[in-house]
Amino acid sequence: MVCVNTLYQVGSRNESPDHTGFAHLFEHLMFGGTPQVPDFDETLQEACGENNAYTTEDLTNYYITLPAQNIETALWLESDRMRGLAFTPQSLEVQRKVVMEEFKLSYLNQPYGDLSHLLFRLAFPKDHPYSWPTIGLKLSHIRNATMDEVKQFFATHYRPDNAIISIVGNISWRRTKQLVEKWFERIGPSPLPLHKGGEYIPTLPKSQPLDGVTTPPPCGEVGRGSGWVRHRTYHRPVPSNLLLMAFRIPSRLDDRFQACDMLSDLLANGKSSLLYSHLVEQQRLCESVEAYVSGRLGTGLLIIEAMMAEGADIQQAEQTVWKDLDHLRNDLLMEKELDKVKNKYETNTYILFSDYMQRAEQLAYFEMLGDARWLEDDLPRYLAITPDEVRKVARQVLPRRNATVIHYLSKE
């Protein structure tokens, strides 16, 4: 078997605030057929292949798995749709309806579905390219997308000089290089400029610091004890109250990112983690709690989500979280506490990389960050983190002035 992974360096951050959702719409349009291959999926299935794709703020990723002897089918299909899509009104309408239904189902009509919209609008300044989720800011942006806008988006971003291909599986390097050159080297560049003055055109505003430790904008701030917190309360027809807290963190390219990731694991990875022990087991304020980070080319987020127990006081739960955050900021962890988290991370990493599809995705991702070989250094970087490094990063990213807090309450 082999996996052919094609990453395009285009995500929701590359969209205009008035035309959001295009990157995700294009994820679907890329399966809508070309003049040469009207049905992408059917052609691939005849070669015993499977495929899928996903969109993030920074990229759109497509992957195909199939028997190694059929790899040219995958390369042919990927190169064919890189050259150009059919762009028929029927294809656009079909995929537009699919994306609009996904928007309605997962974000408008799903319990807690609008949380990402609410959070991103609070955590980032207005019109910042991370201030809307990948599905888009408004349903009307997808509904009103024109054929000319779609073609322009394709010509701007879906091009050889904006793509990364990684191939993992039962095939030699020499054969891989030969086949990639065969199918891709004749694809011409886009007539639109990707570079200007020798530098990549930035889509993240220069005025927005990327260290994740800046004072938040004035909008939405309220006094909270020793600092300032952007705090909002929303009422929705949901079964349980939910506490959400988010902190801006450095870019995935920053040396502090791994320590921020470790912070999230210390907070809510496993039953012995700080927040699970205090919120779920001891005080029984919450039914569940999780913490995770979003690694981005720009400022990311460390997010804490706690589903409240019936009748529990959400204010008390928030204060408990603050106590645990203060502990991480002020007290030095014991080595064994950090080692436990490191061991889990190392085990999960080896499990992840036992899957060649995951390896292909990660290789393309790290190449986008700067160099695929950085993947080899990532795990050692995690394992080298010290308790002092964790405390230092906690002091930078977990102060109240860097927090966004949402109380998502059930309507009575």
Side-chain angles (χ1 to χ4, degrees), residues 232-336:
R232 285 288 186 273
T233 299
Y234 301 95
H235 294 84
R236 297 288 190 271
V238 293
S240 302
N241 296 336
L242 183 141
L243 169 66
L244 186 146
M245 302 173 69
F247 300 82
R248 288 185 291 177
I249 63 172
S251 160
R252 184 63 178 82
L253 290 163
D254 194 285
D255 290 340
R256 297 166 292 175
F257 175 81
Q258 289 85 355
C260 292
D261 198 3
M262 282 292 177
L263 277 176
S264 69
D265 287 346
L266 288 163
L267 285 168
N269 186 344
K271 294 186 176 181
S272 62
S273 61
L274 289 171
L275 294 181
Y276 190 93
S277 296
H278 297 155
L279 290 175
V280 179
E281 291 193 336
Q282 295 179 17
Q283 301 184 39
R284 301 190 182 279
L285 292 169
C286 299
E287 296 290 342
S288 63
V289 61
E290 59 179 322
Y292 53 93
V293 295
S294 61
R296 297 171 177 165
L297 292 178
T299 302
L301 293 174
L302 188 157
I303 299 173
I304 300 168
E305 291 186 22
M307 189 67 67
M308 301 302 301
E310 185 175 358
D313 187 348
I314 196 169
Q315 299 284 358
Q316 185 181 351
E318 183 183 337
Q319 291 306 312
T320 298
V321 174
W322 282 119
K323 288 180 181 178
D324 284 336
L325 299 183
D326 289 340
H327 164 63
L328 290 174
R329 293 174 62 241
N330 298 321
D331 302 327
L332 197 64
L333 286 169
M334 296 178 63
E335 285 282 357
K336 65 178 183 180

Side-chain angles (χ1 to χ4, degrees), residues 123-134:
F124 295 98
K126 184 180 179 181
D127 294 342
H128 187 282
Y130 288 160
S131 65
W132 59 83
T134 55

Side-chain angles (χ1 to χ4, degrees), residues 32-58:
T34 71
Q36 299 296 324
V37 185
D39 193 320
F40 184 96
D41 288 334
E42 181 180 348
T43 305
L44 181 62
Q45 288 166 5
E46 290 176 353
C48 302
E50 297 179 351
N51 73 96
N52 214 328
Y54 60 86
T55 309
T56 74
E57 294 87 355
D58 297 318

Side-chain angles (χ1 to χ4, degrees), residues 145-280:
T146 67
M147 181 64 77
D148 286 342
E149 290 170 338
V150 166
K151 289 182 178 180
Q152 175 82 5
F153 195 86
F154 179 86
T156 302
H157 301 289
Y158 280 79
R159 47 200 290 169
D161 49 339
N162 201 39
I164 297 167
I165 294 178
S166 61
I167 297 175
V168 173
N170 186 26
I171 186 172
S172 69
W173 159 251
R174 182 177 180 181
R175 177 66 172 159
T176 301
K177 185 172 183 292
Q178 177 189 40
L179 292 178
V180 171
E181 289 176 347
K182 173 183 176 181
W183 290 105
F184 289 90
E185 69 177 354
R186 295 183 182 180
I187 302 178
S190 169
L192 300 176
L194 181 66
H195 297 266
K196 185 177 182 181
E199 296 182 358
Y200 183 71
I201 302 173
T203 53
L204 292 170
K206 293 180 179 179
S207 60
Q208 173 66 13
L210 301 181
D211 60 3
V213 298
T214 57
T215 302
C219 178
E221 290 183 347
V222 295
R224 277 287 174 112
S226 60
W228 293 89
V229 180
R230 281 159 296 175
H231 194 288
R232 285 288 186 273
T233 299
Y234 301 95
H235 294 84
R236 297 288 190 271
V238 293
S240 302
N241 296 336
L242 183 141
L243 169 66
L244 186 146
M245 302 173 69
F247 300 82
R248 288 185 291 177
I249 63 172
S251 160
R252 184 63 178 82
L253 290 163
D254 194 285
D255 290 340
R256 297 166 292 175
F257 175 81
Q258 289 85 355
C260 292
D261 198 3
M262 282 292 177
L263 277 176
S264 69
D265 287 346
L266 288 163
L267 285 168
N269 186 344
K271 294 186 176 181
S272 62
S273 61
L274 289 171
L275 294 181
Y276 190 93
S277 296
H278 297 155
L279 290 175
V280 179

